[in-house]
Amino acid sequence: MHTFNTTKHQPNGMAVVYWIHKPEHTDMFTQGYIGVTKRKALARWREHLRTTHRPELKIYLALAKYDTLVFDVIIVGTRERSEEHTSELQSH
């Protein structure tokens, strides 16, 4: 079963940086998928789960293959700052 984890509050208009990963993953720099959205985090997670018809995107291959992936919200902030954090995380 896929899991949605967050204890962070997302005020209206704020974006989130999230990490989709296997439960055993410990390093967000090298494992899993980092994303950013201005939509509500739970809505974005549900969208990922529904969109499995895009095999060119690795995240959708992983969602189809593994049924224990976790969606963790790691940062809540402005869209600009969230995109900066996402770039920093993906460059490692």
Side-chain angles (χ1 to χ4, degrees):
M1 169 180 257
H2 294 109
T3 307
F4 176 82
N5 286 336
T6 186
T7 57
K8 296 178 177 13
H9 175 68
Q10 182 183 357
N12 287 338
M14 290 295 188
V16 296
V17 177
Y18 59 90
W19 178 34
I20 299 175
H21 59 95
K22 291 181 180 179
E24 63 268 18
H25 286 172
T26 58
D27 185 354
M28 72 178 73
F29 297 107
T30 62
Q31 299 172 308
Y33 172 82
I34 298 289
V36 62
T37 186
K38 194 169 181 179
R39 291 189 299 269
K40 291 295 185 184
L42 183 57
R44 182 63 179 123
W45 176 228
R46 288 178 175 158
E47 181 181 347
H48 274 303
L49 293 176
R50 283 191 312 269
T51 309
T52 56
H53 62 279
R54 297 195 53 197
E56 73 276 12
L57 300 177
K58 291 180 183 179
I59 184 61
Y60 297 112
L61 293 174
L63 285 165
K65 184 175 181 179
Y66 304 107
D67 63 353
T68 59
L69 294 179
V70 178
F71 182 106
D72 281 321
V73 173
I74 53 176
I75 298 169
V76 176
T78 65
R79 177 69 185 204
E80 295 77 21
R81 189 65 186 129
S82 295
E83 288 175 353
E84 289 172 16
H85 283 295
T86 302
S87 294
E88 292 167 10
L89 292 169
Q90 291 173 338
S91 68
H92 279 79

